[in-house]
Amino acid sequence: MTAREDIESYLMRSNLSFKSVGDDPEDSLWLVQDPNTQENIVVSLSGPVVVFRVRVMELEGVADRSGLYERLLRLNVSDIVHGCYGIEDDHVVLTAGLFVENLDYNEFQGTVDDMTLALTNHYESLATFRPQGAV
């Protein structure tokens, strides 16, 4: 099987809601919906790496950015096994990457589980940094 077929078989086996994205059927991009938060985790095949990423929150309007950054760094070290929080285009993102060469279902599922658990467990903690009224 190709890496794309492997990833699709892992997604089907995991019983997660997902859809392939893009006009070209050969595109290697999927949206996986977290059943708890309803956030979309983007899974993409980029060369020899499967990349997982989800936008967690916007930075616009966050008054205590240094406090938020400290919280994210602490969460990276204590609560996340396969990925990490980072900043991209004025957004906090949660991201992880796995090499395709030796990817197996357990590693794939462990990464998805790690991300969904982080989204669920960290939501309230990170929500305190959002501006009033922001979702």
Side-chain angles (χ1 to χ4, degrees):
M1 276 200 285
T2 67
R4 185 181 200 294
E5 291 168 333
D6 286 339
I7 292 168
E8 287 207 344
S9 75
Y10 296 159
L11 288 167
M12 286 186 267
R13 185 174 168 190
S14 70
N15 290 321
L16 292 168
S17 175
F18 75 94
K19 68 178 179 177
S20 184
V21 179
D23 296 332
D24 184 348
E26 293 304 310
D27 282 347
S28 298
L29 185 71
W30 302 267
L31 290 180
V32 178
Q33 191 171 55
D34 177 359
N36 299 316
T37 64
Q38 304 305 309
E39 294 289 339
N40 285 318
I41 299 171
V42 177
V43 178
S44 62
L45 185 56
S46 180
V49 178
V50 179
V51 178
F52 303 77
R53 63 187 306 103
V54 61
R55 281 188 174 177
V56 177
M57 65 185 284
E58 289 186 38
L59 288 172
E60 185 177 332
V62 172
D64 183 12
R65 286 193 182 195
S66 63
L68 173 62
Y69 298 156
E70 180 178 344
R71 181 70 184 137
L72 293 171
L73 287 171
R74 290 184 185 280
L75 290 171
N76 280 346
V77 129
S78 64
D79 280 13
I80 302 174
V81 176
H82 296 282
C84 65
Y85 286 106
I87 306 295
E88 178 185 63
D89 298 331
D90 211 30
H91 287 87
V92 173
V93 295
L94 179 59
T95 186
L98 299 171
F99 285 107
V100 171
E101 183 178 351
N102 54 4
L103 183 66
D104 65 18
Y105 174 74
N106 290 331
E107 187 177 30
F108 182 91
Q109 187 63 47
T111 301
V112 172
D113 289 347
D114 190 39
M115 293 187 84
T116 59
L117 191 63
L119 290 170
T120 301
N121 290 344
H122 303 160
Y123 180 83
E124 285 186 33
S125 172
L126 297 177
T128 62
F129 293 98
R130 289 186 174 98
Q132 293 295 330
V135 178

